Amino acid sequence: MTPTITAFEASPDRGRGLARDTRVRWALEEVGQPYDVRLVSFEAMKQPAHRALQPFGQIPTYEEGDLVLFESGAIILHIAERHAGLLPDDLDARARAITWMFAALNTIEPPIVERTTAVLFEGDKPWAKDRIPIVEERVRARLGDLSRRLGDNDWLDGTFSAGDLMVVEALRRLGNAPILGEYPKLAAYVARGEARPAFQRAFAAQRAVFDDQPAAG
């Protein structure tokens, strides 16, 4: 059965692939699972029909027969557990990969999202000059720890896994911020993730949504 995921009808990041449907698309591409996409508007996301799938009115959702999932991490774990290619066969290695998935969502991504919020939505506030350096130091603390753990390895625990996918996606949320460049091993790590053919296909698919949008004005 072909699953269906939801994505933004109007790309809020102008096709940069930072919305969380991109990571789900990437996981599906890695395991070779075809999928359909249903685009939803910001208005539709808040309506009862979508909230029945996603109680917080967000994207992505995942529908496969009677199964409905929300939260990108849960969706990717479901995909990885049911298809070869994102979790190792060895049970200990599998557990470590899942640990990195949780680390991406609970430890690495939160300060990055906090920084994004401070820069994009609070930059004009009187406290921004003092707040932004504080949240950036929190990001640096996580990036420093992660860079030391990665070291000179290509991936976090041997071969590429769903853990790497989630960590790379968390780091990608820094966008073009110079802070990632302060950690060249992590910048190279992100570049390796983005160079994977499955990521390229996922990115192109979400980018096509933005390219199909009418020009402003």
Side-chain angles (χ1 to χ4, degrees):
M1 181 175 295
T2 301
T4 298
I5 67 171
T6 50
F8 288 120
E9 180 181 81
S11 175
D13 62 11
R14 301 183 64 81
R16 295 166 63 200
L18 301 181
R20 288 177 172 85
D21 67 286
T22 301
R23 59 187 63 176
V24 174
R25 294 174 187 265
W26 184 4
L28 289 164
E29 293 288 351
E30 286 283 353
V31 302
Q33 171 62 57
Y35 60 98
D36 295 325
V37 179
R38 183 172 66 254
L39 302 178
V40 293
S41 66
F42 288 106
E43 180 181 0
M45 287 166 57
K46 306 307 178 184
Q47 299 305 310
H50 186 73
R51 285 188 182 274
L53 306 176
Q54 218 295 357
F56 306 106
Q58 300 170 324
I59 62 96
T61 61
Y62 177 99
E63 299 169 69
E64 186 178 14
D66 294 332
L67 175 65
V68 178
L69 299 175
F70 61 95
E71 293 295 334
S72 60
I75 294 169
I76 290 169
L77 181 57
H78 168 78
I79 294 167
E81 287 183 328
R82 285 157 177 77
H83 302 273
L86 283 175
L87 289 176
D89 292 331
D90 177 78
L91 292 181
D92 287 350
R94 177 176 289 240
R96 290 194 298 269
I98 294 171
T99 296
W100 278 112
M101 292 182 67
F102 278 81
L105 293 169
N106 295 332
T107 302
I108 300 168
E109 191 168 58
I112 292 174
V113 172
E114 184 183 17
R115 177 197 172 275
T116 300
T117 300
V119 171
L120 294 182
F121 303 111
E122 300 172 355
D124 60 346
K125 305 299 183 183
W127 64 79
K129 184 175 70 173
D130 295 324
R131 173 166 162 72
I132 291 175
I134 292 172
V135 298
E136 288 194 334
E137 282 309 305
R138 292 173 185 160
V139 173
R140 287 187 175 92
R142 296 305 187 205
L143 297 187
D145 291 339
L146 181 61
S147 181
R148 284 187 289 273
R149 180 56 182 263
L150 178 66
D152 295 324
N153 301 309
D154 284 348
W155 308 113
L156 289 165
D157 192 50
T159 59
F160 177 84
S161 74
D164 292 294
L165 186 155
M166 294 298 288
V167 172
V168 168
E169 279 290 304
L171 296 176
R172 289 189 67 251
R173 296 188 68 81
L174 288 167
N176 296 323
I179 192 169
L180 184 61
E182 297 174 17
Y183 302 87
K185 292 180 180 180
L186 295 184
Y189 173 63
V190 171
R192 280 192 294 276
E194 293 179 330
R196 293 180 68 85
F199 174 86
Q200 292 292 315
R201 292 191 297 271
F203 183 87
Q206 69 78 36
R207 175 72 192 187
V209 177
F210 171 73
D211 289 341
D212 287 342
Q213 294 171 13

